Amino acid sequence: MQQVTPPRRDPAPSRWAYRLNRLWLTPLFRVLLRTGLPAFCVVFGAGVWLSDQGRRDDLGAAIQNLRRSVEERPEFMVKLMAIEGASAELDEDIREIVPVDFPVSSFDLDLEQMLQTISGLDAVKSAHLRIRPGGILSVEVTERTPAIIWRGPAGLELLDAEGHRVGPLQARAARPDLPVIAGQGADGQVAQALELVAAARPIAHRLRGFERMGGRRWDVVLDRGQRILLPEGDPIPALERVIALDGAEDMLSRDLLAVDMRNSARPTLRLAPRAVEEYRRLQLIEAGATNG
Amino acid sequence: MTDLYQSQCAMRRMRKQAMDRGVIAILDVGTSKIACLVLRFDGTDRFRGADGVGSLAGQSSFRVIGAATTRSRGVRFGEIDAMNETERAIRTAVQAAQKMANVRVDHVIACLSGAAPRSYGLDGAVELADSLVSEQDIARALASCEMPDIGDGREVLHAQPVNFALDHRSGLSDPRGQIGNRLSVDMHLLTAEAGALRNLLHCIKRCDLELAGLASSAYVSGISSLVEDEQELGAACIDLGGGSTGLSIFIKKHMIYADSVRLGGDHVTQDISKGLQVPLAVAERVKTFHGGVVATGMDDREMIEVGGETGDYEHDRRSFSRAELIGIMRPRVEEILEDVRARLDAAGFEHLPSQQIVLTGGGSQIPGLDGLASRILGQQVRLGRPLRVQGLPQAATGPAFASAVGLCLFAAHPQDEWWDFDIPAERYPARSLRRAVRWFRDNW
């Protein structure tokens, strides 16, 4: 009789199925196959693809393009530079030393470098840079205010109250309001000079300037070639004394060459040669009168 | 002898290796089913019971994480008959258990029920060199046992020291460190047919598994189904399997006798098949659902339908009463039990202080068997189920799994065997490097 139902399938795994099953249950093999193999494929594929120089360049260019396309969005573009707190001259200087051709992407601006450049200017005390919304590079500058004129080896220069150079000066007449200092090491003693200027206010109409003598003491130079030789220590009281004498006896309007205050115990006047002659003549007259 | 020692030591090493790895498989190759359990050991004795609380027969340290059963093929009388078929069945069971456990198993402990086990009681005695008993003395005592003639083509399966006596004191379980002059030992030797063992080894090897232990099925079902006091006071465990019936006698927690009767549930099925003219599968089903050994008046009225596929109406629509079925089954079951009785008598079971008999194995589920058994075997008969072990699926808790569960316990806490002790130095071959090393270790 013919068999109606096919023979039942053998439930036993074949030898190879059994071995593969056991292999699959091996933890190390499993980890290798599940993570090791895909990782290897990815790395190997990427390596093969990148082994060609042209593809590598293309990839670099594509990345660069993508980067540029983000950087050059209008949100990130800087269109102009606004400088605040600077005089017209300084404004021009800043625009000159910070050459940025607008519009430029804010990613390309090296604000740190620009800040250093601007702060490097003599006339700039401090500066702040920031990019304001709307694409404006805003430069806020605090200028140094010139407090004194220094006649240095390179000509007239403006200094601020701390002795820092502000800028050159073409002519003394351009800034008649500022006092002049000169001499060796004068630019290092601006603070003391300013104190002297303040003390010399009563004789300001006659004041020509201050000269640092031998790098250690001040001479006050007045018009008509007069000088007040101040001591090394405590020059201000000495100057005040001279001014007081002048106020009391109108001393400085006389024919003096110098008032020597270097030794405070023995102030000395140096008369002009003609005045000396005159003084001698008068003494002779006085003596003659007495004698005759 | 040295061969046996080496191979058994290799198996012990394999078992230790498996313990270190933490996963080991249990393979019960039976006539009707092949069961595979995967055990995971959570470190060595993580659970240490407090004083007086045992570690629950050593089973708390392992857990069954995979279990699979498949119908056995190619096994007859508990011995491998068709190697390829058995190999495929083992593969099926192991793969299913591995899938459930989700872990790869490399080491397996197996048991087999057939192979005509034969028990020998040996004794040996030595005079102690110094009065303190050391491991070396025990090894010497074990080695002094006279090896009986076990016959050609037989291998030693178990060789367990069951009793130590020191001078006049007997019944010591562990004489190490005790003081005396003469140490004598009783050893139980279980041998089996080498051919059957070799076939099983070969099958397991062909499945890419390493054998980490081999046990007799009668012994391991005794471990799992006898409760502690039964093991202590004396009891026999009768494992009614498919192709063979194993029996083991325990006293003082040691097996002292094991044997097997080459009759089992399959013979009952064959009887039904022949007597009722039905296929074996139908006979098996009828036996399982309607079988019994004690007929009552009710059974005459309970008719059992058996289908058929011959196309002959008369043949396909037959039915018979349960009483007829019982009439077929009972003589065969009686025969099995009579055989067991004969073996027990031969072993001197009636001299034991307690004569508890525990029936286990798949055949013990026949209704009314305990009544029949108590008539044949003695009054103290009970049906035994294997110990409950952690993680065992419900489907594998029946008496048919007694030997599988016993193997788990055997794997967790093996009994000391003869090969667990070092060979005494004088037994080593001359000029052995090991012997030189030992001499150095002993003298320096």
Side-chain angles (χ1 to χ4, degrees):
Chain A
M1 193 180 130
Q2 193 184 334
Q3 197 163 18
V4 182
T5 51
R8 284 178 60 191
R9 201 180 59 80
D10 188 359
S14 71
R15 225 171 140 72
W16 278 105
Y18 172 76
R19 280 192 183 157
L20 286 178
N21 187 279
R22 280 166 63 78
L23 187 63
W24 178 239
L25 283 173
T26 311
L28 184 67
F29 177 78
R30 234 173 142 130
V31 167
L32 271 181
L33 205 68
R34 278 195 168 164
T35 57
L37 191 66
F40 173 76
C41 283
V42 167
V43 169
F44 185 76
V48 165
W49 195 79
L50 286 178
S51 62
D52 185 44
Q53 179 66 40
R55 289 204 199 112
R56 245 185 344 248
D57 294 346
D58 285 354
L59 184 69
I63 291 172
Q64 202 59 37
N65 278 344
L66 189 70
R67 200 185 145 89
R68 292 259 28 121
S69 71
V70 172
E71 283 179 0
E72 288 180 354
R73 289 178 69 84
E75 289 87 347
F76 297 127
M77 295 304 282
V78 176
K79 289 186 260 330
L80 58 95
M81 175 157 69
I83 298 173
E84 289 168 25
S87 61
E89 223 172 295
L90 185 58
D91 190 302
E92 259 174 41
D93 285 351
I94 289 174
R95 282 177 200 282
E96 197 174 307
I97 60 161
V98 186
V100 186
D101 32 351
F102 296 105
V104 68
S105 165
S106 58
F107 288 99
D108 294 339
L109 289 175
D110 187 357
L111 291 186
E112 202 66 27
Q113 177 66 35
M114 286 163 73
L115 181 64
Q116 278 188 3
T117 314
I118 293 172
S119 303
L121 283 177
D122 285 333
V124 175
K125 193 173 182 183
S126 66
H128 291 284
L129 263 86
R130 65 189 185 94
I131 294 168
R132 285 214 301 254
I136 298 166
L137 173 63
S138 148
V139 185
E140 285 169 29
V141 180
T142 316
E143 264 193 273
R144 293 184 192 281
T145 47
I148 212 158
I149 301 167
W150 176 44
R151 187 181 293 280
L156 290 175
E157 280 177 10
L158 290 168
L159 301 184
D160 73 349
E162 290 149 15
H164 198 280
R165 186 177 177 277
V166 176
L169 189 66
Q170 307 304 326
R172 168 77 180 93
R175 295 301 297 264
D177 53 324
L178 296 181
V180 182
I181 56 174
Q184 185 188 359
D187 55 335
Q189 297 289 330
V190 175
Q192 203 175 30
L194 287 174
E195 277 175 40
L196 289 174
V197 170
R201 187 161 298 136
I203 53 169
H205 56 285
R206 294 206 50 207
L207 190 67
R208 295 286 301 275
F210 299 85
E211 186 176 6
R212 190 81 175 157
M213 301 303 289
R216 51 188 182 84
R217 58 171 204 87
W218 289 104
D219 267 12
V220 183
V221 182
L222 304 177
D223 56 357
R224 290 199 348 250
Q226 283 184 344
R227 278 175 181 261
I228 301 168
L229 280 60
L230 296 177
E232 197 176 340
D234 288 340
I236 292 159
L239 183 60
E240 277 169 353
R241 255 173 93 187
V242 174
I243 290 169
L245 275 174
D246 180 46
E249 301 197 9
D250 212 9
M251 181 178 73
L252 291 177
S253 54
R254 299 172 194 246
D255 197 4
L256 297 172
L257 277 184
V259 181
D260 187 352
M261 299 296 287
R262 283 179 291 183
N263 188 343
S264 59
R266 186 174 59 83
T268 312
L269 302 182
R270 192 191 307 155
L271 302 181
R274 270 193 52 233
V276 173
E277 278 172 30
E278 192 66 14
Y279 178 62
R280 291 217 176 111
R281 194 178 62 80
L282 286 178
Q283 271 188 332
L284 281 175
I285 291 170
E286 206 165 293
T290 314
N291 295 337
Chain B
M1 203 65 176
T2 318
D3 272 0
L4 168 76
Y5 181 80
Q6 302 287 2
S7 65
Q8 292 283 4
C9 278
M11 273 205 268
R12 278 297 154 104
R13 273 201 301 279
M14 210 65 85
R15 178 184 162 274
K16 207 162 150 28
Q17 212 177 328
M19 287 294 197
D20 290 343
R21 200 180 283 186
V23 176
I24 199 165
I26 294 301
L27 197 62
D28 173 19
V29 183
T31 314
S32 58
K33 65 153 189 5
I34 290 182
C36 179
L37 306 181
V38 179
L39 308 187
R40 193 180 61 212
F41 290 88
D42 321 314
T44 47
D45 292 336
R46 198 184 45 149
F47 174 87
R48 275 262 172 228
D51 284 345
V53 181
S55 60
L56 301 177
Q59 50 141 321
S60 55
S61 66
F62 71 85
R63 193 182 163 80
V64 179
I65 55 171
T69 317
T70 185
R71 204 186 72 174
S72 179
R73 297 182 293 168
V75 182
R76 286 177 67 211
F77 304 120
E79 294 158 18
I80 291 168
D81 189 47
M83 187 93 80
N84 279 343
E85 289 289 298
T86 313
E87 185 200 327
R88 292 163 88 84
I90 291 176
R91 276 210 304 259
T92 315
V94 170
Q95 179 161 343
Q98 279 185 151
K99 188 176 178 186
M100 180 174 165
N102 201 19
V103 68
R104 179 190 165 138
V105 196
D106 288 324
H107 301 93
V108 67
I109 294 183
C111 76
L112 80 172
S113 53
R118 213 176 284 162
S119 274
Y120 299 88
L122 314 179
D123 61 342
V126 287
E127 299 292 332
L128 297 180
D130 48 356
S131 53
L132 207 64
V133 179
S134 67
E135 291 234 0
Q136 193 64 51
D137 291 324
I138 295 176
R140 275 171 53 226
L142 290 173
S144 73
C145 292
E146 193 184 336
M147 185 70 185
D149 179 20
I150 57 174
D152 273 348
R154 292 187 72 83
E155 285 271 7
V156 176
L157 198 57
H158 294 286
Q160 299 164 340
V162 293
N163 184 31
F164 290 99
L166 198 55
D167 297 338
H168 57 279
R169 291 184 300 139
S170 183
L172 305 174
S173 59
D174 186 359
R176 271 172 294 183
Q178 302 202 38
I179 292 173
N181 296 314
R182 184 181 164 80
L183 177 72
S184 54
V185 61
D186 296 323
M187 188 151 76
H188 174 232
L189 189 76
L190 191 69
T191 65
E193 273 174 17
L197 297 184
R198 217 171 295 135
N199 285 348
L200 180 63
L201 248 67
H202 187 66
C203 258
I204 287 170
K205 206 171 164 192
R206 277 180 60 91
C207 294
D208 302 334
L209 297 166
E210 300 272 6
L211 194 68
L214 200 55
S216 158
S217 149
Y219 170 50
V220 290
S221 24
I223 299 178
S224 71
S225 348
L226 297 183
V227 296
E228 208 162 341
D229 58 330
E230 286 170 348
Q231 283 186 16
E232 179 71 36
L233 298 174
C237 172
I238 293 164
D239 182 359
L240 293 148
S244 64
T245 299
L247 67 136
S248 54
I249 301 178
F250 280 74
I251 192 164
K252 295 206 172 197
K253 298 194 177 157
H254 289 292
M255 175 175 68
I256 54 164
Y257 180 78
D259 205 341
S260 93
V261 176
R262 287 161 77 84
L263 286 171
D266 280 359
H267 298 89
V268 178
T269 309
Q270 274 173 27
D271 287 350
I272 295 169
S273 172
K274 286 171 187 165
L276 299 179
Q277 301 276 312
V278 291
L280 270 178
V282 176
E284 178 73 30
R285 187 173 59 83
V286 166
K287 180 186 82 171
T288 319
F289 283 127
H290 308 282
V293 287
V294 182
T296 59
M298 177 70 179
D299 294 329
D300 283 331
R301 294 193 294 281
E302 190 182 332
M303 301 305 284
I304 302 162
E305 303 268 343
V306 285
E309 289 172 340
T310 59
D312 180 357
Y313 182 83
E314 292 297 327
H315 187 268
D316 287 356
R317 307 297 299 168
R318 280 176 304 154
S319 66
F320 47 85
S321 69
R322 184 163 179 248
E324 283 178 84
L325 177 66
I326 290 171
I328 292 172
M329 287 176 70
R330 183 166 173 135
R332 181 62 87 169
V333 175
E334 277 180 349
E335 187 194 351
I336 296 173
L337 292 176
E338 294 285 357
D339 263 11
V340 169
R341 173 84 238 175
R343 303 289 168 107
L344 287 179
D345 285 345
F349 182 61
E350 68 265 30
H351 303 302
L352 291 192
S354 154
Q355 293 166 27
Q356 180 75 43
I357 286 174
V358 176
L359 297 171
T360 185
S364 72
Q365 287 162 304
I366 303 174
L369 180 70
D370 48 344
L372 182 62
S374 64
R375 287 216 200 129
I376 297 174
L377 299 174
Q379 283 306 306
Q380 298 176 325
V381 173
R382 72 171 181 93
L383 296 180
R385 295 171 69 85
L387 208 69
R388 298 159 72 98
V389 296
Q390 215 183 357
L392 195 69
Q394 179 63 36
T397 52
F401 290 85
S403 54
V405 173
L407 261 185
C408 296
L409 304 178
F410 175 76
H413 277 254
Q415 163 93 39
D416 274 351
E417 305 243 15
W418 164 69
W419 37 82
D420 290 329
F421 296 96
D422 290 333
I423 287 185
E426 56 263 31
R427 284 293 183 97
Y428 270 109
R431 288 200 300 254
S432 163
L433 185 65
R434 275 250 200 97
R435 192 173 173 183
V437 170
R438 174 160 301 284
W439 185 83
F440 263 98
R441 206 193 291 157
D442 289 349
N443 290 281
W444 295 85

